[in-house]
Amino acid sequence: MAEREQIKKTSPKEQDQEVDEVPAGSESGEALKAELDDLLDEIDDVLETNAEDFVKSYIQKGGQ
Amino acid sequence: MAIPKVVGIETEFGIMVRGTNEWNPVSASSLLINAYVGSEVGGLDDRTAPIAWDFIDETPGVDARDMLAPDYAMPPEVETHLVNAVLTNGARYYVDHAHPELSTPECRDALSVVLYDRAAEMILVDSMKAAAAALPPGQEIVIYKDNSDRKGNAYGCHENYLLDRNLPFGQIIHTATTHFVTRQVFTGSGKVGSELPGMTSAEIPYQLTQRAEHFEEEVGLETTLKRPIVNTRDEPHADSQKYRRLHVIAGDANMAQMATLLKVGTTAIVFAMLEDGAYDEQILIRNPVQAMHAVSHDLSLAEPLTLDDGRTATSLEIQWSLLQQARSWADRHGLESVGEECGKLVLERWEQVLNGLETDPSSIAHWVDWVAKHRLLTGFMDRHDCDWDDHRLRALDLQYHDLRPSKSLAARAGLEAVVADDDAARAVTEPPPDTRAYFRGRCLQKFADSVIAANWDSIVFDVGADPLRRVPMLEPTRGTEHHVGAILDESETVSELLDKLGA
């Protein structure tokens, strides 16, 4: 197995010029954490109150 | 030369009635759809009954492998007695296998699919509101855009691609299998736990996709049992001498619009390349079913898959190879077959999503559902100091897909919109201008009283004293606004329309 060859990844050609377009990467870690905290506050507000019953009662008929 | 990749998706939605234990999914789905087509938004102004679906063309038991299906392969049944409506945007809205299902109209590119998929979500939201008025107080129908109840029952989000009939089916199988197994890294909607027998949450606490574990065969006609990675249903809904409709059952329903764009956009490119004979390297995966499960279970994205020639490659390496070949194909052949602007966008985002998955998946939490959901789940665990067995995590997993705006967690997860909601709201009632869905939708808008029935490739009109007239639409790229817009505008009656069309 040691001599198994691996498919080598070739560098994508336009990687450099696209850095600006990845929005999440430009945000600071603290801003992201604050955003996640707000999100988790909201989830605590709207999450089904009786989680166990809700999960158990979610039964579907199989489809395609 | 690659033919235009006309595409569409069909989604079976999860359904629940809250506030009662006495309910049945077929009745609830019927009530939901009837409430919508009888409502102001979904209804046709001057008719009480919805336009019926015409089943004359439905042959889901025909196998694309050009041989009789063996006895054990059960062809899917066509349920002609259930609610089945055609909408003015060209979509089909119906009850299928105890689920409400919506098929988008035929779209000319992946961006148009994203628009009509968002419109479909709006139609389901409007349906829930319309159904509320028909239910006893305290009861509510709730719709989930997911693919599994996490208890072994799966339902599909199928994609359809128009292919050249001359393409040998064997080649389609190879290309499709490799892409369907590896594209899961960006198409997965995420699932807490495993549905495989004997697998514990300690072994698989979370995985990339909802559907992967429900696939047991490589190729076949089935869609409800022993599901195959490549489905051979041969039902072109178009000129069967020229076209094939590849019916893809191997994907997840996505909440993230970018995931839908990439799922449909990359797959359209992968098949257009095949039609152009553009592959210099065909990568074949050994044991594709096992690989499909393995990719879904591998959150590190680093597990090597064994290829047919003995080499190994990760799903990301295979996707990089497909992307690199797609770029070179685009340089040589152009992107006309998949839509110029859309194709360019898909190639850019494809590269960015692979980069993100490789370097830091959390950087694309706004594009990929399994990453977005994983962020919510791990954040929740940190905050509440709980582990993967906690029921609240399973509730969160389900509620991510709840389509009610007041409850949907996906709507709160910071997902990036690819299409504007204003445009999607128009697409709820307006057909796409650039496929035959335009003719279907406009006829329903303008001549609903004279349309007896419709399906993908024909419409039946009642023109009064004469016999009923069937207008065939065997060319998916004809019947567009460009072809028939002016004729539809000028015609006062159906007779006039049919005269002008020479039908």
Side-chain angles (χ1 to χ4, degrees):
Chain A
M1 297 298 269
E3 66 274 13
R4 267 194 322 208
E5 193 192 336
Q6 291 207 306
I7 290 191
K8 293 283 188 301
K9 188 198 110 189
T10 35
S11 303
K13 51 184 176 179
E14 288 167 34
Q15 212 164 322
D16 295 343
Q17 64 202 52
E18 309 217 351
V19 170
D20 296 346
E21 285 190 41
V22 182
S26 60
E27 285 181 55
S28 74
E30 276 175 31
L32 275 174
K33 192 174 176 312
E35 189 217 316
L36 181 61
D37 273 341
D38 289 347
L39 189 53
L40 291 169
D41 286 342
E42 222 180 325
I43 289 176
D44 285 342
D45 285 343
V46 300
L47 193 64
E48 297 287 348
T49 43
N50 197 336
E52 184 171 358
D53 283 351
F54 166 56
V55 170
K56 280 189 178 151
S57 66
Y58 192 73
I59 298 171
Q60 300 290 311
K61 286 242 163 67
Q64 293 216 44
Chain B
M1 216 181 89
I3 63 167
K5 286 286 147 283
V6 175
V7 285
I9 57 181
E10 354 159 356
T11 308
E12 292 178 331
F13 294 89
I15 184 166
M16 260 187 111
V17 183
R18 314 286 298 255
T20 174
N21 293 321
E22 302 289 315
W23 64 278
N24 134 348
V26 178
S27 314
S29 301
S30 304
L31 189 149
L32 180 86
I33 295 169
N34 281 327
Y36 179 77
V37 295
S39 73
E40 213 171 297
V41 195
L44 302 162
D45 294 342
D46 46 359
R47 271 177 85 110
T48 45
I51 305 286
W53 189 258
D54 180 358
F55 285 95
I56 195 164
D57 182 51
E58 305 278 312
T59 54
V62 179
D63 197 308
R65 290 166 295 181
D66 295 322
M67 57 179 191
L68 288 174
D71 289 342
Y72 57 80
M74 293 286 290
E77 285 174 32
V78 179
E79 299 168 298
T80 55
H81 59 288
L82 298 176
V83 175
N84 222 310
V86 192
L87 306 182
T88 59
N89 71 355
R92 179 186 179 195
Y93 192 19
Y94 54 120
V95 181
D96 194 20
H97 295 276
H99 297 272
E101 173 159 354
L102 196 144
S103 298
T104 66
E106 303 90 328
C107 296
R108 184 54 188 83
D109 64 28
L111 269 171
S112 181
V113 171
V114 175
L115 183 72
Y116 282 90
D117 188 51
R118 177 68 188 127
E121 293 179 0
M122 292 175 168
I123 289 168
L124 269 296
V125 170
D126 285 340
S127 302
M128 285 189 275
K129 283 184 201 149
L135 286 166
Q139 290 187 20
E140 181 186 17
I141 292 180
V142 183
I143 296 298
Y144 297 83
K145 190 188 186 193
D146 64 357
N147 298 103
S148 135
D149 64 0
R150 297 18 174 214
K151 298 171 184 71
N153 302 307
Y155 30 100
C157 174
H158 300 173
E159 306 142 59
N160 298 287
Y161 300 87
L162 190 73
L163 301 188
D164 187 335
R165 192 81 196 176
N166 290 321
L167 213 53
F169 202 71
Q171 284 186 26
I172 296 174
I173 292 172
H174 291 153
T175 305
T177 304
T178 301
H179 188 49
F180 297 165
V181 168
T182 55
R183 70 176 189 169
Q184 295 186 104
V185 295
F186 51 79
T187 63
S189 284
K191 179 169 78 178
V192 172
S194 165
E195 292 173 275
L196 291 180
M199 204 66 94
T200 65
S201 68
E203 290 164 289
I204 309 287
Y206 183 70
Q207 61 180 301
L208 270 50
T209 81
Q210 301 188 1
R211 281 285 270 184
E213 291 179 334
H214 297 278
F215 286 81
E216 300 173 56
E217 305 279 345
E218 292 176 23
V219 183
L221 189 56
E222 294 279 1
T223 52
T224 56
L225 296 161
K226 291 202 171 292
R227 293 184 185 86
I229 297 172
V230 178
N231 182 242
T232 54
R233 180 182 296 181
D234 189 8
E235 201 182 13
H237 295 317
D239 184 340
S240 59
Q241 302 294 309
K242 291 168 69 178
Y243 301 119
R244 180 185 298 290
R245 171 183 66 118
L246 191 72
H247 183 235
V248 176
I249 67 171
D252 280 9
N254 293 112
M255 302 304 295
Q257 294 181 13
M258 192 62 78
T260 300
L261 180 79
L262 284 167
K263 177 176 69 178
V264 177
T266 61
T267 307
I269 286 175
V270 156
F271 289 123
M273 290 166 65
L274 194 59
E275 288 174 347
D276 279 328
Y279 289 100
D280 15 273
E281 184 188 20
Q282 268 284 11
I283 303 168
L284 299 181
I285 295 170
R286 194 178 285 175
N287 300 328
V289 174
Q290 201 186 323
M292 187 138 183
H293 298 177
V295 170
S296 186
H297 291 163
D298 175 27
L299 296 186
S300 76
L301 311 176
E303 190 170 321
L305 305 172
T306 305
L307 307 183
D308 224 33
D309 58 12
R311 292 185 300 163
T312 61
T314 66
S315 45
L316 281 173
E317 285 167 339
I318 294 172
Q319 281 293 313
W320 277 117
S321 166
L322 287 173
L323 170 62
Q324 192 190 18
Q325 296 184 75
R327 285 210 178 276
S328 135
W329 161 79
D331 289 344
R332 281 176 288 139
H333 295 270
L335 290 161
E336 173 61 26
S337 58
V338 294
E340 286 288 347
E341 266 180 54
C342 178
K344 201 162 162 278
L345 179 67
V346 169
L347 287 174
E348 271 174 28
R349 294 293 180 265
W350 194 356
E351 178 171 328
Q352 289 167 338
V353 89
L354 295 183
N355 266 326
L357 288 167
E358 197 164 65
T359 54
D360 174 17
S362 71
S363 68
I364 49 162
H366 56 312
W367 284 356
V368 173
D369 283 309
W370 75 263
V371 179
K373 194 191 277 179
H374 189 258
R375 176 168 169 251
L376 302 187
L377 291 163
T378 50
F380 190 92
M381 280 194 282
D382 284 349
R383 171 177 285 205
H384 296 283
D385 196 23
C386 58
D387 62 24
W388 285 108
D389 282 326
D390 196 293
H391 292 293
R392 288 171 299 175
L393 293 180
R394 291 175 185 266
L396 193 159
D397 179 21
L398 292 175
Q399 203 178 322
Y400 182 86
H401 304 270
D402 191 326
L403 283 187
R404 292 172 297 176
S406 61
K407 288 285 187 180
S408 170
L409 299 188
R412 292 164 168 77
L415 299 173
E416 182 181 315
V418 174
V419 296
D421 264 1
D422 285 351
D423 294 334
R426 267 191 298 281
V428 165
T429 51
E430 291 296 320
D434 45 8
T435 67
R436 66 185 176 190
Y438 177 81
F439 182 71
R440 184 186 312 118
R442 283 292 311 275
C443 283
L444 256 65
Q445 287 174 359
K446 194 161 179 178
F447 304 115
D449 275 342
S450 306
V451 176
I452 297 294
N455 65 21
W456 298 118
D457 58 14
S458 70
I459 301 184
V460 179
F461 293 99
D462 182 351
V463 282
D466 299 336
L468 297 180
R469 304 265 291 275
R470 177 184 294 275
V471 175
M473 304 187 291
L474 293 169
E475 286 293 336
T477 54
R478 296 191 67 85
T480 64
E481 183 172 28
H482 173 71
H483 292 126
V484 295
I487 292 176
L488 275 156
D489 287 342
E490 290 158 11
S491 301
E492 300 284 330
T493 64
V494 163
S495 301
E496 208 181 318
L497 173 70
L498 296 181
D499 284 348
K500 285 184 174 141
L501 287 170

